[in-house]
Each structure stands twice: as structure tokens, then as C-alpha cells.
Amino acid sequence: MPARLLAVGDLGVSPSDAAARDTLAFIGIARSWGRDQEVFAEGAACETIYKVVYGAVRAFRLLADGRRQIVSFYLPGDLFGIEALSAHAVTTEAICETTLASARRSSLIEDEEQRGRLSRCALRELLRAQDLLLTLGRRSALERVASFLIDLADRTGGGDVLALPMSRQDIADYLGLTIETVSRTLSEMQARGLLRVQDARQIRLLRRAALVQLCQ
Amino acid sequence: MPARLLAVGDLGVSPSDAAARDTLAFIGIARSWGRDQEVFAEGAACETIYKVVYGAVRAFRLLADGRRQIVSFYLPGDLFGIEALSAHAVTTEAICETTLASARRSSLIEDEEQRGRLSRCALRELLRAQDLLLTLGRRSALERVASFLIDLADRTGGGDVLALPMSRQDIADYLGLTIETVSRTLSEMQARGLLRVQDARQIRLLRRAALVQLCQ
DNA sequence: CGTTAGCTTGAGGTGCATCAAGGGACGTGG
DNA sequence: CCACGTCCCTTGATGCACCTCAAGCTAACG
């Protein structure tokens, strides 16, 4: 369950990038979720659409034996919860202390322009899923980690120091690898002078062109 | 380029399943494509929406060195070409002799109800992409092939004999495997009594419950 | 009957997983 | 302030699932 409640007026400004500006006029209240708290579960009715204000969210599916595939990370400015026809196909959880703004799906669907924004957002989501398909189906561990880092850098403003909100386990479950392989690959990239692992959650990109090269 | 032209009135009835019934009222002509002919290329403007009448289509992305990931197969009744915001992110090709009905995107977007159908179709596409992400990221070769076969059986009416329109190479590029692994896996499944490879393009499912089990 | 394209099968190699141990950061209690 | 546990990450040793390379098989077609 969500923790404390915040009035929408209290919120800070979300990071400004193209996607973030294409926002919905959210009405209602923003709420905070603690680390690993569920936002909605696979199978639940799809009634609310969320926007990340602070923090980060993971969306994943599970196999019966517990294997997990993260299909998407949502960062400040991103909308999520649109992916469903009626019931959610993924579970979503806050990765860290996270604030989300939300709107009833029904209220948004009434407005013509909002509907257009939602479907554009769903198409963007599909494009990202197809990117990840290429990564999981055809790229090596080195290439996967490079894709992940470059994508994250692009989405968080393009600075050279990446602040990772997610753990190695999250990255592994996103890239179809194990934590050991993710860790070893980062060490390998550091050895090659591509980046510097300043600490586990802070990575400085040193030779970005070489990393981009690895993504083809 | 498309081969011969057909008047729409000449077309046979497309296979009847729930998805197929949710059709657009296509105006214009249906055309045929030969084996391996391109329908549209990655990067091309997204102007036309297609529906498979006969045959099958693959949609894929390539890496610079030629590695290919097929992100979707389209079968009779399926719509495609909606996935793009402005430019196509995938290339599509006819897998075999294929007939497609088409409509201008602009003409469909004008109609309120058609727009809704398109966005539902895009969401279905997203769900399928997420399924495939789970498969590529977290399933073994045996589980991947089982998922593929069960999915195909479900989509083609549920009969026990599957007529595969696609080659082993296509299946491999869809499942993130090599042709040798696909072939060996099918042989292994046959040895276990799960199915019978009647010939390369014809597979009889013998123990469907066991195959479903493999998909979790 | 030869040619070709696609599929199957075998032998061996390798990239990543698994198993295992150790290190660093952080919090908690003495 | 330090001892101790916990969580997360890193590193090492080993194993195996799938890839690579290679050869043979089958069917379609001239």
C-alpha cells in the first residue's frame, strides 16, 4: 500500500526532456511508495495511469519457478500503466523511495487529446520493447550492458555520471543475465577504460563513443 | 514491389478467430507479395496499415553485422504496420506467397472507432512483445520452442497439426537461437513423444499439455 | 540424374551460469 | 567508539547449454 500522501502542488518540477513535456494534466493526488512496494500486480484491473515524479519503477513478469524478466524501467517523467487492454500483464514495483502522480484511466479516456497522448505513449513503449528484444535475442553480455548504460544515459539527460537507481539483480533481470555476469562485465569495461565504477550505484562513462559502438 | 493486383471482392474469407473479427473496413485493393519480398523497410514513413489475408509476414530488426531478431510473425487476420510513431522501426517481409489488404493510415485515423481499434491492436502487439521478452530473457531452448509451438497452435485455430509457414532460420531468429539448436530441440521433443516432425514444415502435437507445462 | 536449398546430426569449443568465498558499506547494539 | 550482522557487490573456479564448424541427408526441380 502507498505510504504518505502529498498534495500535487507540493511536487517539485520533473526533469525536463521531450517525453516529460508530453505530459497529461494529472488531477488528484500524488503518493509515495517505499522501496520494493508494489504499485499494481499482474492480473489486476487496469484503472489508473501513473507518472513518475521522483524515483524509479520496474515492470516485470515471472515464470512459475520464480525466474523474473524486467520488461521496463520507468524514470521521472515516464508514464506507465497504459500497457493493458483490461488486466495488467506485468507487476510494477517502486525500486527506491518513489513518488507517483496518477489519474483514473476512465477520466483520461474521455478526452480526445489525452487519448492520442496515451496511444503515442503506448507506441513508444512498444518501440522500447522491440529494442530490448533485439538485445536479449542477439547481443552478447558486453553489448547488453553497453546498450543498457547508453539508454539510461540518454534518458537521464545525457550527463557522463550515471546514478543507477536499480540493483545489479534488477539490471541482470532486465538484460537476461546473472548478477555475476553484470558485475564482471562492468569490471571488464572499467579495465578497458570505457567507464569507471565509482561505487556500485554510480558509474562514470569515459569513452561513450566506444560504448555506443558496442550497441552497433 | 508487390506482384499482381486483386480486387478486394475476389478475396477468400480470412480465418475466423476473435482477433480476425476485429477487422477494419478496408477500402482499396489487396495485393500479393512473393516469398522474401519486402513490404516496408525500417526507417520508411508509416503511411499504410496492412492486414494479412493469405500467407505470413515477418517483422525484424538487424544489427550492423547482420544479426537478425524477428520481433513478430503476422498470420491471416493479423493487422500490422501500426507500430510506428512516424517511421517504421522494423522491416517486414512476406515469408511465403502472401496476400495483404491495406488502408491508408490517414484515412483510418480520421474515424473515431477505427482509431480505437488501432490502439487496441497496438496494445495486443505490446503484450506479445512482452511475452517474447520473457522467453528470450529467461527461458531455455526447450521452453522457447515449446512456447513458440503453443503460441502458433493457439493462433492458427488450435488444431494438432501445425503447418509452419516459416523456415528453421526464421524460428531461430525469432527465439534467439541457431537453426541447429531449433532442429535438435524439435528432435529431442520428438524423442520424448511430445510431437512428431511429419516433415520440416508440418508438426503434429502429440502431448500438448506437456508442451504447455514447459511454458509454465 | 545432377544441383541446390533447407534440414538434421555429430564433434568440439565457448560464453555465460552456477557454486563458492570474500569484501565493503551500513546499521544496530554493547 | 568498536564489534557484529546483513545486504549487496565482486571475484574466482568449474560446469554446461548452446554455438560453431563440418558433414551428410532429403526433397524439389531442372
Side-chain angles (χ1 to χ4, degrees):
Chain A
M1 290 306 269
R4 46 201 159 79
L5 300 178
L6 292 170
V8 126
D10 295 343
L11 298 174
V13 179
S14 63
S16 62
D17 78 306
R21 267 187 232 105
D22 181 12
T23 59
L24 305 171
F26 277 101
I27 310 164
I29 49 176
R31 299 186 304 192
S32 286
W33 272 255
R35 186 167 175 261
D36 294 335
Q37 272 190 317
E38 184 177 289
V39 180
F40 56 78
E42 186 175 339
C46 177
E47 291 164 343
T48 309
I49 289 168
Y50 300 89
K51 183 177 169 183
V52 180
V53 179
Y54 300 124
V57 170
R58 61 181 157 245
F60 59 89
R61 298 195 48 194
L62 294 173
L63 290 176
D65 63 1
R67 281 175 285 175
R68 183 177 74 157
Q69 177 64 44
I70 294 180
V71 301
S72 203
F73 291 117
Y74 300 109
L75 303 177
D78 292 341
L79 292 177
F80 68 97
I82 351 144
E83 15 64 56
L85 287 161
S86 52
H88 286 292
V90 294
T91 301
T92 51
E93 292 173 352
I95 290 177
C96 50
E97 193 60 32
T98 294
T99 302
L100 303 176
S102 61
R104 301 250 101 198
R105 189 190 177 79
S106 53
S107 71
L108 291 177
I109 286 206
E110 275 157 25
D111 183 78
E112 169 61 38
E113 190 180 332
Q114 300 290 32
R115 251 200 323 268
R117 283 181 175 169
L118 286 184
S119 68
R120 249 173 290 132
C121 183
L123 284 179
R124 235 181 277 127
E125 187 102 37
L126 178 58
L127 287 187
R128 295 184 57 77
Q130 291 175 344
D131 274 356
L132 189 55
L133 282 175
L134 182 61
T135 296
L136 297 186
R138 291 296 177 218
R139 291 205 244 239
S140 69
L142 198 71
E143 292 165 342
R144 289 181 204 204
V145 173
S147 307
F148 170 74
L149 293 174
I150 292 300
D151 179 51
L152 200 62
D154 288 347
R155 289 171 70 190
T156 55
D160 275 347
V161 177
L162 278 182
L164 305 178
M166 67 289 285
S167 68
R168 294 289 184 270
Q169 187 63 64
D170 286 329
I171 299 173
D173 286 350
Y174 180 70
L175 295 177
L177 300 170
T178 60
I179 44 171
E180 293 95 330
T181 298
V182 171
S183 182
R184 269 188 260 267
T185 303
L186 286 170
S187 299
E188 162 76 13
M189 285 174 161
Q190 179 165 271
R192 291 198 197 182
L194 301 180
L195 51 77
R196 193 155 165 276
V197 182
Q198 316 203 96
D199 67 78
R201 301 296 182 105
Q202 202 101 347
I203 291 176
R204 176 180 293 275
L205 305 184
L206 296 176
R207 295 175 50 205
R208 197 139 163 186
L211 287 169
V212 170
Q213 186 85 356
L214 281 173
C215 312
Q216 311 291 341
Chain B
M1 289 305 276
R4 44 200 161 81
L5 300 178
L6 294 169
V8 127
D10 297 341
L11 297 175
V13 179
S14 64
S16 62
D17 77 305
R21 265 186 234 106
D22 181 13
T23 60
L24 304 171
F26 276 102
I27 310 164
I29 49 175
R31 300 184 305 190
S32 287
W33 272 256
R35 183 166 177 257
D36 295 334
Q37 272 191 317
E38 185 177 288
V39 180
F40 56 77
E42 186 176 338
C46 178
E47 291 164 344
T48 309
I49 288 166
Y50 299 88
K51 183 178 171 186
V52 181
V53 179
Y54 300 124
V57 170
R58 61 181 158 246
F60 59 89
R61 297 195 51 193
L62 294 172
L63 290 176
D65 62 2
R67 281 175 286 175
R68 185 177 73 158
Q69 178 63 43
I70 294 180
V71 301
S72 201
F73 290 117
Y74 300 108
L75 303 177
D78 292 342
L79 292 178
F80 69 96
I82 352 144
E83 13 66 54
L85 287 162
S86 53
H88 287 291
V90 295
T91 300
T92 51
E93 292 172 350
I95 291 177
C96 50
E97 194 59 32
T98 294
T99 302
L100 302 176
S102 61
R104 300 251 103 197
R105 187 188 178 83
S106 52
S107 70
L108 292 176
I109 286 205
E110 275 159 24
D111 182 78
E112 170 61 36
E113 191 182 333
Q114 299 291 33
R115 251 201 322 269
R117 286 181 173 169
L118 286 184
S119 69
R120 251 173 290 132
C121 183
L123 285 179
R124 234 181 278 127
E125 187 101 35
L126 178 58
L127 287 188
R128 294 184 57 77
Q130 290 175 343
D131 273 358
L132 189 54
L133 282 175
L134 181 62
T135 296
L136 296 186
R138 290 299 177 217
R139 291 205 244 241
S140 69
L142 197 70
E143 293 164 341
R144 289 181 203 203
V145 173
S147 308
F148 170 73
L149 293 174
I150 292 300
D151 179 51
L152 201 62
D154 289 346
R155 289 171 71 190
T156 55
D160 275 347
V161 177
L162 277 181
L164 305 179
M166 68 289 284
S167 67
R168 294 290 184 270
Q169 186 64 64
D170 286 330
I171 299 173
D173 286 350
Y174 180 69
L175 295 177
L177 300 170
T178 59
I179 43 172
E180 294 94 330
T181 298
V182 171
S183 183
R184 270 188 260 266
T185 303
L186 287 170
S187 299
E188 162 75 14
M189 286 174 161
Q190 178 164 269
R192 291 198 197 182
L194 301 181
L195 51 76
R196 190 154 168 278
V197 182
Q198 316 204 100
D199 68 75
R201 300 297 181 102
Q202 202 102 345
I203 291 177
R204 176 180 293 277
L205 305 185
L206 297 176
R207 295 175 50 206
R208 197 136 162 188
L211 286 169
V212 170
Q213 187 83 358
L214 280 173
C215 312
Q216 314 289 338

